[in-house]
Amino acid sequence: MRVKVRGRSAVRRVVRRGKPRRLLSAALVSLVGYVALAIFAVQQQFFALDYGTRAWVRLLQYEALTLPMQLVTSLGDRVGLILMIAVAIPVLWRVNRRWAVALPVLMAGAGALQWLAKTAAGRDRPNLAPWGFPSGHVLSLVVFFGLMIYLIAMASSRRRRWRVRACLVAAVPVVVVAFSRLYLDKHWLSDLAGGLTIGAAYLLLAIWVVEVVLTRADEAAPGLPETREPSA
């Protein structure tokens, strides 16, 4: 049975329809949002919504929920991310080998970005532990599941229907893990917003580099045959 490959043609449609500019514009908007939040974080300032959200979450806390929340939040830990990457790589290898190779590099870059951002901000967590802003769990999960959303949407012939479904499915772990960080008193709400915005900016820029810059470089290279996916 042959594997239907739509990845390369989808990328070409992206380039032809002017979406590179949209990717960069969206990345810039996300980055501006992050910088605005980071300015407050560096000054050790908080929003009224941070305190209000923390007070509201405390009303929902029950001892029986602590362990489930700890299990949920482990999805964004190093081990959880490594397991998800290990599962995703062989799947992507059958569909889009370029992203199968790029995924571990992308996630390693997200880890480095997280360290730089946390070091630069230097804001404590609600429980007074260091390295609160931005949320590394949210940043990493936005990058991972955001990429999955993008690839599913680009590979589907029923693009609009699949995009909606993929967004809903992929958003669930991000939202649940983000709430677990609030529940366990690991982050302020603005920490989560910081992870969301910088993660989105990083992902959009990475998509632009991989699917626009590298694709154009491949097409411009003389004498190179078009890469075909393996048949199974």
Side-chain angles (χ1 to χ4, degrees):
M1 180 180 65
R2 291 191 309 171
V3 177
K4 294 183 179 180
V5 179
R6 302 188 183 97
R8 184 172 293 273
S9 61
V11 170
R12 286 174 177 166
R13 289 197 300 271
V14 167
V15 174
R16 290 170 184 165
R17 294 179 184 178
K19 288 188 179 179
R21 185 175 300 174
R22 298 179 192 175
L23 287 171
L24 291 177
S25 298
L28 180 61
V29 171
S30 297
L31 183 60
V32 170
Y34 171 76
V35 170
L37 291 168
I39 290 173
F40 284 93
V42 169
Q43 296 174 352
Q44 305 300 315
Q45 295 183 8
F46 302 94
F47 299 94
L49 193 57
D50 285 322
Y51 294 107
T53 303
R54 189 187 188 198
W56 174 73
V57 171
R58 282 184 169 181
L59 296 177
L60 303 177
Q61 290 178 338
Y62 295 94
E63 185 176 353
L65 292 177
T66 301
L67 180 58
M69 286 296 173
Q70 290 174 342
L71 294 175
V72 166
T73 205
S74 65
L75 186 65
D77 291 340
R78 182 177 302 175
V79 174
L81 291 171
I82 291 175
L83 290 176
M84 290 193 297
I85 294 169
V87 172
I89 287 176
V91 175
L92 290 177
W93 187 258
R94 294 178 59 86
V95 179
N96 190 318
R97 290 188 174 182
R98 172 171 287 172
W99 276 113
V101 174
L103 179 61
V105 178
L106 178 72
M107 297 307 297
L113 178 63
Q114 174 189 156
W115 181 84
L116 289 172
K118 286 179 177 289
T119 302
R123 189 170 79 175
D124 290 343
R125 303 170 187 265
N127 59 8
L128 301 182
W131 287 30
F133 181 91
S135 170
H137 282 63
V138 172
L139 189 163
S140 298
L141 293 178
V142 164
V143 172
F144 182 86
F145 286 105
L147 177 61
M148 298 303 112
I149 291 172
Y150 176 80
L151 293 178
I152 292 173
M154 289 295 101
S156 174
S157 59
R158 296 173 296 177
R159 189 172 303 171
R160 180 173 300 177
R161 181 180 302 176
W162 274 95
R163 183 183 293 117
V164 173
R165 291 178 179 177
C167 286
L168 292 176
V169 171
V172 169
V174 178
V175 173
V176 173
V177 171
F179 178 77
S180 74
R181 305 305 286 169
L182 294 174
Y183 186 90
L184 297 172
D185 209 26
K186 297 292 186 179
H187 284 294
W188 299 99
L189 182 63
S190 56
D191 295 342
L192 305 184
L196 171 64
T197 51
I198 194 173
Y202 171 72
L203 173 62
L204 291 167
L205 182 60
I207 291 174
W208 178 78
V209 169
V210 172
E211 296 212 335
V212 177
V213 177
L214 296 183
T215 297
R216 286 175 174 172
D218 285 348
E219 293 178 347
L224 292 179
E226 181 174 339
T227 302
R228 299 186 61 87
E229 299 293 336
S231 59

